[in-house]
Amino acid sequence: MVATMPSAAPLMECETPLFVMAQRQLDEIAKEMGLPTQLHERLRYPKRSLTVTVPVRMDDGLVQTFTGYRVHHDVALGPAKGGIRFHPEVNLGEVAALAMLMTWKCALMGLPYGGAKGGIRCKPWKMSLGEQERLTRRYTSEIINLLGPDKDIPAPDMYTNEQTMAWIMDTYSINVGHTVPSVVTGKPVAIGGSLGRHEATGRGVAYCVRRAVSHAGLKSEAPSVAVQGFGNVGSIAAKQLHAHGYKVVAVSDVHGGIYNPQGLDIPRLLAYLSEMGRVTGFPQATAINNQELLATECDILVPAALGNQIREDNVDSLKCKIVVEGANGPTSPEADIYLHEKGVLVVPDILANAGGVTVSYFEWVQGLTQLFWSEEEVNDRLEQIMGRACDRVFTLSKESNLRTRMAALRLGVSTIAEAKRLRGLYP
Ligand code: NAD
């Protein structure tokens, strides 16, 4: 069947700019790979979306009402998997777009999951711990019919963490009458979490950097790296790369950046960060701002903070040879095309930051089998899976002259398409 643009797409409440961008990416690859029109149309929209009202008794005794979402984009390969974020900008379109990206990411990594995402529109930093706990528990109870270890397995995302997952696990378990650790991943090790989960995304980014360096044929003994964002992902990636002899020349956080062309002492910087709460002011480094960080002279740039950082208006200032996207959506579509044409190797987000969901999968498997792995075993398996996915993406990109982002997407989409073809349409 010939692929064409779907004709009468249903109008949906989720059609926000981020969702439309996710659809445009799918449309581009669907056209390139000749995806049958009817399947293309099914994949442009989420399978199911739930919007819930979450009333919470605040510390002052008054009840405040929040809006929450849980979206399943596709579940052809297995239970829906995806994070839950707490943020004032959460809306149905954002959640649906991120759920779609989770579908492609899980399929690309060969994980037996569909794509999901959830969130609550709130300002968690203005809420006490008790308020956050009541918010999490009531939200869990509102979406409980979607959840379950073989149905939908949440994980942490922006402004949610191991504690949030523990509350979700406890609320779900109490409602079903027995303890079900595998209903969430990213939970504390003491209640069934996996060793290595906390570091998994940053570690995965570092594996991708090393694979990309070898693929690009960089000969340097100590390739230089600049990292934007020094939180969970950025700081762990920097630590790993430093330990492997890379020269981390610049890092930044929300307060600003620091630069030393001889390489920063990352273990000392981590100690400084835990004392001062910021990277700025670190001795033996020059202060730079976040725009200067992106334009740093370096071999590899790792954006690991926010979305939409590398855009049409600043992409020509980049001086790196490789971009490894720790953050979700740090590069605009126009900038992505520019980088490809300039010969910069981009490791796209659905590949580069997939270490977290991969070790989430390990956590789920360990919970279901009640057999727990050593940290070394977790890290070795993660390296194998990340390495294989990198090789598949780089090879397809080279053979088909596709942007690496499109190659990654094509591998993910074709896996889903094949699963759907084999399963057929009910009834
Ligand atoms: P985090 O909150 O631990 O760290 C974010 C870092 O970015 C902090 O150092 C913060 O100061 C910095 N930052 C914020 N605004 C900035 C700005 N304007 N300029 C420069 N730095 C800024 O978050 P994280 O978990 O490390 O996540 C970082 C990115 O990676 C996000 O885009 C997230 O969606 C993505 N991601 C994270 C994971 C994970 O497992 N943590 C998995 C997949 C994707």
Side-chain angles (χ1 to χ4, degrees):
M1 201 183 304
V2 181
T4 54
M5 279 289 294
S7 49
L11 269 180
M12 288 203 34
E13 295 77 358
C14 62
E15 282 185 344
T16 60
L18 190 67
F19 185 73
V20 171
M21 198 174 96
Q23 280 188 325
R24 269 178 49 205
Q25 278 191 358
L26 172 66
D27 295 344
E28 186 181 339
I29 203 63
K31 192 169 170 209
E32 193 276 335
M33 65 194 276
L35 190 70
T37 311
Q38 289 152 31
L39 179 53
H40 176 191
E41 185 150 24
R42 271 175 81 187
L43 292 174
R44 295 183 90 234
Y45 294 94
K47 177 181 177 62
R48 54 175 82 94
S49 315
L50 180 62
T51 302
V52 293
T53 296
V54 190
V56 178
R57 191 169 305 281
M58 307 304 277
D59 291 344
D60 61 7
L62 298 177
V63 174
Q64 205 172 315
T65 301
F66 299 87
T67 303
Y69 307 94
R70 187 70 181 165
V71 173
H72 294 173
H73 171 256
D74 184 84
V75 293
L77 291 176
K81 188 89 191 80
I84 289 177
R85 64 172 54 174
F86 291 175
H87 198 271
E89 278 158 33
V90 164
N91 58 55
L92 185 56
E94 178 185 80
V95 175
L98 295 169
M100 189 189 290
L101 293 179
M102 281 304 292
T103 303
W104 315 141
K105 186 188 286 190
C106 292
L108 168 67
M109 302 311 290
L111 309 178
Y113 288 137
K117 206 80 182 183
I120 305 178
R121 192 154 57 239
C122 64
K123 290 186 181 155
W125 52 87
K126 295 215 158 155
M127 300 174 77
S128 70
L129 202 62
E131 289 169 341
Q132 289 186 38
E133 176 174 355
R134 294 191 290 279
L135 177 75
T136 304
R137 288 186 182 280
R138 183 61 188 249
Y139 168 74
T140 305
S141 120
E142 295 296 341
I143 65 165
I144 205 157
N145 289 335
L146 294 186
L147 302 182
D150 50 2
K151 289 161 73 180
D152 176 353
I153 308 135
D157 195 80
M158 271 164 66
Y159 292 98
T160 56
N161 54 28
E162 296 182 347
Q163 177 61 76
T164 324
M165 295 306 112
W167 291 328
I168 295 177
M169 183 274 228
D170 184 68
T171 306
Y172 181 86
S173 298
I174 285 177
N175 274 272
V176 298
H178 57 101
T179 297
V180 188
S182 295
V183 68
V184 288
T185 59
K187 57 191 170 288
V189 172
I191 53 168
S194 176
L195 295 171
R197 173 63 182 84
H198 184 73
E199 298 81 14
T201 308
R203 243 176 212 284
V205 168
Y207 291 147
C208 288
V209 168
R210 289 161 49 205
R211 213 69 170 200
V213 162
S214 123
H215 178 77
L218 279 193
K219 293 283 177 271
S220 169
E221 288 271 295
S224 54
V225 192
V227 182
Q228 186 195 42
F230 209 62
N232 176 271
V233 179
S235 72
I236 289 165
K239 186 177 162 191
Q240 291 293 320
L241 291 169
H242 180 267
H244 276 87
Y246 282 62
K247 199 163 63 170
V248 182
V249 292
V251 306
S252 68
D253 63 19
V254 68
H255 306 288
I258 52 172
Y259 172 67
N260 181 342
Q262 306 310 319
L264 297 158
D265 181 338
I266 298 298
R268 275 186 58 202
L269 177 59
L270 287 166
Y272 177 87
L273 175 70
S274 68
E275 191 185 331
M276 310 299 286
R278 50 171 63 205
V279 298
T280 47
F282 183 65
Q284 289 156 6
T286 314
I288 54 171
N289 63 34
N290 262 297
Q291 280 313 309
E292 290 167 331
L293 181 131
L294 295 174
T296 301
E297 189 87 48
C298 61
D299 294 312
I300 306 124
L301 174 66
V302 178
L306 309 170
N308 207 24
Q309 294 299 293
I310 306 171
R311 301 173 306 264
E312 212 171 357
D313 60 310
N314 66 1
V315 64
D316 61 353
S317 69
L318 266 59
K319 300 188 191 69
C320 57
K321 303 179 185 79
I322 297 171
V323 174
V324 179
E325 297 183 338
N328 279 320
T331 311
S332 75
E334 295 76 18
D336 191 50
I337 294 169
Y338 179 95
L339 290 172
H340 177 71
E341 286 170 355
K342 220 176 115 191
V344 175
L345 176 61
V346 176
V347 184
D349 48 6
I350 63 167
L351 169 60
N353 68 32
V357 70
T358 304
V359 177
S360 270
Y361 163 62
F362 298 163
E363 179 178 334
W364 180 70
V365 168
Q366 292 171 77
L368 292 178
T369 55
Q370 293 296 304
L371 182 65
F372 292 88
W373 310 349
S374 68
E375 191 163 354
E376 198 185 5
E377 204 171 347
V378 168
N379 294 341
D380 285 350
R381 286 181 193 253
L382 174 63
E383 185 165 11
Q384 264 177 36
I385 292 185
M386 297 293 303
R388 195 168 57 218
C390 282
D391 291 348
R392 290 177 71 216
V393 170
F394 296 155
T395 305
L396 179 63
S397 160
K398 203 166 164 190
E399 283 173 354
S400 309
N401 193 26
L402 277 174
R403 293 184 344 258
T404 41
R405 188 179 315 281
M406 288 300 128
L409 210 56
R410 180 172 173 161
L411 288 166
V413 173
S414 56
T415 302
I416 300 293
E418 176 65 353
K420 286 202 164 314
R421 188 187 67 76
L422 290 166
R423 288 185 59 165
L425 182 65
Y426 173 86

